[in-house]
Amino acid sequence: MRTTNTLASLAAATLCATLGSAIAQQPIVLQWQTANLTEKQYEPIWKATIAEFEAANPGIKIEPVLVARKDHWTKFVAAALAKQAPCIVSVDLATAAYNGYLMPIDKFLQAEPADFRGAWSADMLSAAKWKGKLYGLPIWGGTYAEIYNRDLVVKAGLDPAKPPKTWNEYLSWSKKLTGDGTWATAVLGGKTDTTARVLLTWIWSNGGEAFNADMTEATFAKNAKSLEAIKFYLGLAGKQGVAAPAPTTTNYLEQTNMFAQGKIATMRNAYWAVAKVNDDNPAMKGNMFVAPIPTNVANAPTMSTMSAASISANCAHPDAAWKFIKFDAGKKWSVQRALVANWMPLRNDLANDPAVKADPLLAQFVQIGTNARSYPLPSPIWAEIAAGDIVDAVQRALLQPEKTDEIFRDLDTRLTKKLRDV
């Protein structure tokens, strides 16, 4: 009987050891959710990224979560509330952090070598912070610059090698680029946050600020330089008459369509607009050049939209998640996203990369992006502000320019109350 019991015990121990070893060898599975995984131009990049990461890290598997853009936030919130959110996500960072859906990642970044930590400017990292803590690593974005139609510029007797650097020079060019059925540019006043994006670039180009440093007060009208910028920009469509008609319904799509059709000669847009224009009108390929945004003050920044990779608050394997985020943020994939998907790298150490330098247009955008402020602005109600309140004020001012001061004073009052109620 003892022999039988001993054999049974040995068999059980062996079975447990075998099962334990098998369990121990099971890879960590990390789900990865970002709305961009469903976009065709990004698919070859993310698939290659996963394949190379898994080959280098056989103990970790990445499971992409493919969600339509319109369902992305809703699905994430539902999973976060159930404490089952994917470990790696790219979401509305400030709102998600405000609601406790994300994990601070300061300790991970601080443990990295200095050259990696220094690859992002303090301003770019600021958009990935909430209440002083870092909740995401900026991966890619869209740097805004002034994009010109070379043929229309030359036809107007202007020199593409000497694009306008100041507002006055830009206005002078605009008057020469406006003619019968064509306009210099488009003012965006449509019902999307692109209206707010472009407006902010004009404000910053004049040394103005739309908000105070801690995002508790709006200063569109209170800051004299901001109000001056707003009037100049909106005046391109009104007083100056150098912008295409119907600005209150002009969004990114309408702007790029007009540019591709040769109806406007310049547009303020991100690098991805170049690819769209080339698709819309292949004859435009090679016929565009880019320059920094005209400014009224020295060293004025442009804007780079920011998509960050974050770790969900309930992630069971944050160390492994950080390992993938760091890999995805590496130089190789930053450049590949730009070359294939037209998404700008947000690292500030790629201007001399051979693959970047080989593409003159991309190289100019990367160089322009070294002096950029990040977007969206850090507030959990930013989406509501950018696509709602600011757009409403712009549309009203376009329709009633004589009331611009009053309209933006009212905007300051309303936004300040909203921001302080957060």
Side-chain angles (χ1 to χ4, degrees), residues 143-148 164-167 170 198 201-202 204-205 268-269 290-297 300-303 368:
T143 297
Y144 277 68
E146 209 68 40
I147 306 171
Y148 295 88
K165 295 181 179 180
T166 66
W167 285 9
Y170 181 80
V198 177
T201 67
W202 280 96
W204 296 343
S205 75
R268 186 162 298 186
N269 218 315
V290 64
I293 290 169
T295 71
N296 269 3
V297 295
T302 185
M303 170 187 289
I368 291 168

Side-chain angles (χ1 to χ4, degrees), residues 30-38 46 50 62-68 72 75-76 79 84-89:
L30 301 175
Q31 288 191 321
W32 179 26
Q33 181 182 330
T34 162
N36 306 102
L37 293 178
T38 59
W46 66 255
I50 289 176
I62 304 299
E63 181 182 292
V65 179
L66 304 182
V67 185
H72 174 56
K75 183 177 178 66
F76 166 72
Q84 296 178 348
C87 263
I88 305 161
V89 294

Side-chain angles (χ1 to χ4, degrees), residues 108-122:
F108 296 113
L109 183 60
Q110 290 305 313
E112 297 297 336
D115 61 339
F116 184 82
R117 299 197 310 271
W120 289 267
S121 69

Side-chain angles (χ1 to χ4, degrees), residues 358-376:
D359 185 328
L361 204 60
L362 173 60
Q364 285 179 286
F365 264 98
V366 169
Q367 185 59 47
I368 291 168
T370 59
N371 183 25
R373 292 176 63 170
S374 52
Y375 179 96

Side-chain angles (χ1 to χ4, degrees), residues 297-321:
V297 295
N299 203 38
T302 185
M303 170 187 289
S304 279
T305 60
M306 188 275 294
S307 179
S310 302
I311 301 176
S312 63
N314 57 270
C315 178
H317 305 285
D319 293 310

Side-chain angles (χ1 to χ4, degrees), residues 301-354:
T302 185
M303 170 187 289
S304 279
T305 60
M306 188 275 294
S307 179
S310 302
I311 301 176
S312 63
N314 57 270
C315 178
H317 305 285
D319 293 310
W322 172 255
K323 185 175 285 191
F324 178 74
I325 288 172
K326 179 185 175 182
F327 184 85
D328 190 37
K331 291 183 179 181
K332 175 179 178 177
W333 302 112
S334 296
V335 172
Q336 285 298 306
R337 273 187 293 271
L339 293 174
V340 179
N342 298 108
W343 295 343
M344 291 300 297
L346 296 179
R347 298 175 63 121
N348 58 14
D349 58 353
L350 297 176
N352 293 317
D353 185 278

